[in-house]
Amino acid sequence: MTCLYIGLGVMGYYMAGNLSKSYRTYALNRTHGKAVLHAQEFGSVAIKDIRQVLGEVDFILTCLPTSKEVRECAEMLIEIGKAKEGAVWIDNTSGEPDASREIAEKLAEIGVDFVDAPVSGGRKGAMNGTLTIMVSGPASIYEKILPILSTMGKNISHLGDCVGQAHAVKGLNNLLFASNLVMGMKVAQALEKHNLNPDKALTAMLSSSGGSNALQRIHEYITHNRTINFRFIARGLVKDMNIGLSLLSNRFESDPSFTILSSIRDLYEQMVACKGESSDVFDIFEYIE
Ligand code: NDP
């Protein structure tokens, strides 16, 4: 089995690295130097153009910023028009459900099965091969790609038979994560302000009803002198929140719960505008302080 991994960023670089330990893997990235580094570090094969390998790859994987870049790659493939028979495209991008369904329909015309398989667990999970992977698409394809996904993640689940369902769940998950993060930071700042030991207090909360994955990360940040082994550009989280917000059942401005969630999205957007396009989600700690 031969794989092609497109998009060697914060996540894709390590996911493709783990993949290449078990499968012959071609690595492709917009900035070619990263693919060359990848080949040196993991033994993948760096390529510059999808045309070089298309006829021989069984699995195409993507971890690109948004569905827009995934669509562009799919259009390029459709233009070339000849993939290997039975080829499957696994999209690890946190993408948009509707866009993914459209991409899947177009790729089906040239005999390529497309499934969405967004991931969660950050750079650490990508490095350690312990990501949570959410998949949607036909069950038969899920069975076929499970060995591939198992090289990159530990908690892998099939969420539904329709393409786009996993992207929907991922968007809603990140809406929740982003909201928990801001609220947890506000609580951590209150602890500091009132001279309550943040380490002890957050540890207690983590095994109480206020605990969450976001609070766990805030605890790490606070107890490591405001540093954390977690890199997630804030504009990526805003993109995910927008996907989540678009799926809420009552999207009326008069609905307070929608207003709260969209205000949190606005806060991240304002922070990106203030601190720059490359700002990280943890930059919001100082922004709201
Ligand atoms: P990055 O921006 O770090 O990486 C994206 C990579 O894609 C870059 O290496 C970029 O190349 C490359 N790229 C962009 N366009 C193309 C193209 N047309 N052809 C080939 N390569 C291209 O993003 P992340 O790795 O952080 O995120 C990727 C996806 O994973 C996003 O959807 C994100 O929401 C999701 N995600 C991110 C997590 C995180 O903690 N970072 C966690 C879970 C999911 P170049 O080197 O030129 O910039």
Side-chain angles (χ1 to χ4, degrees), residues 170-181 183 214 241 261:
K170 171 73 187 178
L172 290 166
N173 175 76
N174 278 16
L175 181 62
L176 196 57
F177 172 69
S179 307
N180 285 343
L181 201 60
M183 291 188 225
M241 292 185 84
L261 290 167

Side-chain angles (χ1 to χ4, degrees), residues 7-8 27-38 46-48:
L8 307 172
L28 177 70
N29 191 65
R30 182 174 55 192
T31 306
H32 182 61
K34 269 193 207 171
V36 174
L37 275 181
H38 196 272
I47 60 157
K48 278 188 173 167

Side-chain angles (χ1 to χ4, degrees), residues 201-222:
L202 290 174
T203 302
M205 285 178 187
L206 279 167
S207 58
S208 306
S209 49
S212 68
N213 177 289
L215 203 66
Q216 182 76 58
R217 293 186 193 274
I218 293 164
H219 177 261
E220 182 185 336
Y221 181 74
I222 293 277

Side-chain angles (χ1 to χ4, degrees), residues 76-253:
M76 196 189 299
L77 195 148
I78 290 162
E79 205 179 297
I80 304 163
K82 57 167 180 36
K84 187 171 176 183
E85 200 183 324
V88 179
W89 186 314
I90 305 166
D91 185 23
N92 296 134
T93 309
S94 298
E96 293 165 38
D98 289 346
S100 300
R101 276 188 283 276
E102 284 167 28
I103 292 167
E105 278 168 24
K106 284 189 178 163
L107 286 172
E109 289 171 18
I110 58 159
V112 175
D113 289 305
F114 177 97
V115 292
D116 48 328
V119 301
S120 180
R123 180 173 55 184
K124 207 192 242 177
M127 289 173 95
N128 298 336
T130 55
L131 292 167
T132 293
I133 310 182
M134 311 167 196
V135 188
S136 66
S140 57
I141 305 291
Y142 175 70
E143 295 301 327
K144 193 173 168 180
I145 64 172
L146 205 47
I148 302 284
L149 298 179
S150 301
T151 65
M152 303 183 288
K154 288 274 175 273
N155 303 306
I156 306 169
S157 51
H158 184 220
L159 302 184
D161 290 333
C162 299
V163 170
Q165 288 174 322
H167 276 156
V169 175
K170 171 73 187 178
L172 290 166
N173 175 76
N174 278 16
L175 181 62
L176 196 57
F177 172 69
S179 307
N180 285 343
L181 201 60
V182 165
M183 291 188 225
M185 285 174 176
K186 224 47 198 164
V187 165
Q189 288 167 4
L191 294 172
E192 286 180 331
K193 185 179 170 204
H194 294 285
N195 290 324
L196 296 159
N197 183 315
D199 181 13
K200 287 184 178 171
L202 290 174
T203 302
M205 285 178 187
L206 279 167
S207 58
S208 306
S209 49
S212 68
N213 177 289
L215 203 66
Q216 182 76 58
R217 293 186 193 274
I218 293 164
H219 177 261
E220 182 185 336
Y221 181 74
I222 293 277
T223 55
H224 289 78
N225 201 20
R226 295 196 177 190
T227 59
I228 184 165
N229 183 16
F230 178 70
R231 171 90 184 122
F232 192 174
I233 50 168
R235 67 185 153 79
L237 194 59
V238 169
K239 175 256 304 175
D240 296 339
M241 292 185 84
N242 282 331
I243 294 169
L245 284 166
S246 74
L247 295 161
L248 297 186
S249 53
N250 291 315
R251 286 190 278 150
F252 303 113
E253 281 183 19

